[in-house]
Amino acid sequence: MSYLELRGVTKVYGDGSTLVHALSNIDLTVEAGSLVAVMGASGSGKSTLLTIAGSLEDPTSGEVYVGGRPLTSMSRNGKAQLRRQSIGYVFQDYNLLAGLSAVENVSLPLELDGVAARKAQKVAFEAIEDFGLGERATHYPDQLSGGERQRVAIARAVVGERQLLLADEPSGALDSTNAEAVMRLILAACHRGLAAVVVTHDAQLASWADRVVFLRDGRIVDQTLPAESPDAFLADLPQS
Ligand code: ADP
Ligand code: MG
């Protein structure tokens, strides 16, 4: 089942003489349990794509379906509820709240969604432990390394019953070891059933995705499907 679908999505910024076509007629579907990587030069529309897919902005035209529901049919409150319950965001600069500990950052979205504080903290602590940060749970963001902060941010994005993960250059500020660790956590979330869209500049990390979408000037110019597995390739060879 496709959890996220963009149909004919166009986004035009500005008015009058200075129109920017940030996205032009984008069609994209992301299945539950699959990872789509988005690549493209600066200004090609990658962040706009994620923002619109995450209902944070409306397209100028076209439709976005999340969990089969068209966003244009939803009220502002409906979209806010969808974001709280179903969509996790990860950004390059972590966006953790400095005044909250790691575990409090992760429990916050649950508490905002009405989960009782103690239950939320318990679930958040389990998520933090799953991510190998159990001993850092009560640390504040400025007491964590970049890689640790991003792991907390991903824990916050996937905690609860989230079904869509949108990550905008999540490894952009990290060294390759931490970048791989972050990508591995995103992949693990997909294997548990989340649909994910990850913007990355790193072709190596992009190659972990089920599909890589290339954007240029707001258009999808290419989509690569993953190479078939070696086993499937060998099975297709004529038997000798
Ligand atoms: P990327 O993430 O690939 O670098 P963006 O999606 O941020 O690209 O931007 C795509 C284009 O849209 C760029 O030309 C950018 O300047 C423009 N743009 C993005 N956001 C806005 C905005 N809020 N107002 C006006 N133009 C914008
Ligand atoms: Mg961007």
Side-chain angles (χ1 to χ4, degrees):
M1 187 202 82
S2 72
Y3 189 74
L4 171 67
E5 183 168 356
L6 278 67
R7 266 195 227 155
V9 165
T10 291
K11 180 69 177 180
V12 182
Y13 286 112
D15 51 282
S17 56
T18 54
L19 294 180
V20 177
H21 285 256
L23 294 176
S24 298
N25 202 26
I26 298 287
D27 292 320
L28 181 68
T29 59
V30 186
E31 313 292 316
S34 86
L35 173 60
V36 171
V38 177
M39 301 191 78
S42 179
S44 60
K46 306 180 297 296
S47 294
T48 304
L49 177 68
L50 288 198
T51 308
I52 288 176
S55 84
L56 292 165
E57 269 194 82
D58 295 327
T60 307
S61 60
E63 185 60 273
V64 178
Y65 300 83
V66 178
R69 297 163 70 198
L71 293 185
T72 51
S73 74
M74 294 171 57
S75 65
R76 274 176 74 93
N77 281 342
K79 281 190 263 192
Q81 187 182 34
L82 175 78
R83 289 194 295 270
R84 275 199 313 276
Q85 295 180 339
S86 304
I87 305 179
Y89 304 87
V90 179
F91 305 94
Q92 181 172 330
D93 53 4
Y94 324 122
N95 275 41
L96 298 177
L97 294 173
L100 298 182
S101 68
V103 69
E104 288 166 345
N105 264 283
V106 175
S107 69
L108 182 65
L110 297 172
E111 291 180 49
L112 289 176
D113 199 39
V115 177
R118 277 180 63 175
K119 169 102 201 289
Q121 297 252 340
K122 182 170 177 285
V123 172
F125 185 73
E126 285 163 4
I128 292 259
E129 268 196 321
D130 280 351
F131 281 29
L133 293 169
E135 299 186 345
R136 297 268 190 277
T138 57
H139 286 47
Y140 289 84
D142 66 2
Q143 300 171 315
L144 300 170
S145 72
E148 289 168 344
R149 283 183 215 178
Q150 196 59 302
R151 275 144 72 195
V152 172
I154 295 171
R156 179 183 58 182
V158 302
V159 76
E161 307 290 313
R162 306 298 176 72
Q163 290 170 288
L164 177 61
L165 175 61
L166 302 169
D168 198 348
E169 305 193 37
S171 59
L174 303 176
D175 61 55
S176 62
T177 306
N178 278 302
E180 275 196 34
V182 156
M183 201 64 171
R184 211 171 291 120
L185 291 174
I186 291 173
L187 208 54
C190 290
H191 290 157
R192 291 196 305 272
L194 267 82
V197 183
V198 178
V199 171
T200 180
H201 285 297
D202 186 324
Q204 181 72 34
L205 294 179
S207 74
W208 296 19
D210 297 294
R211 203 158 86 239
V212 186
V213 171
F214 294 89
L215 280 182
R216 191 166 70 209
D217 297 333
R219 293 177 188 277
I220 292 181
V221 290
D222 201 7
Q223 298 200 26
T224 59
L225 296 170
E228 284 189 72
S229 71
D231 287 348
F233 177 75
L234 289 171
D236 282 346
L237 290 177
Q239 304 290 316
S240 58

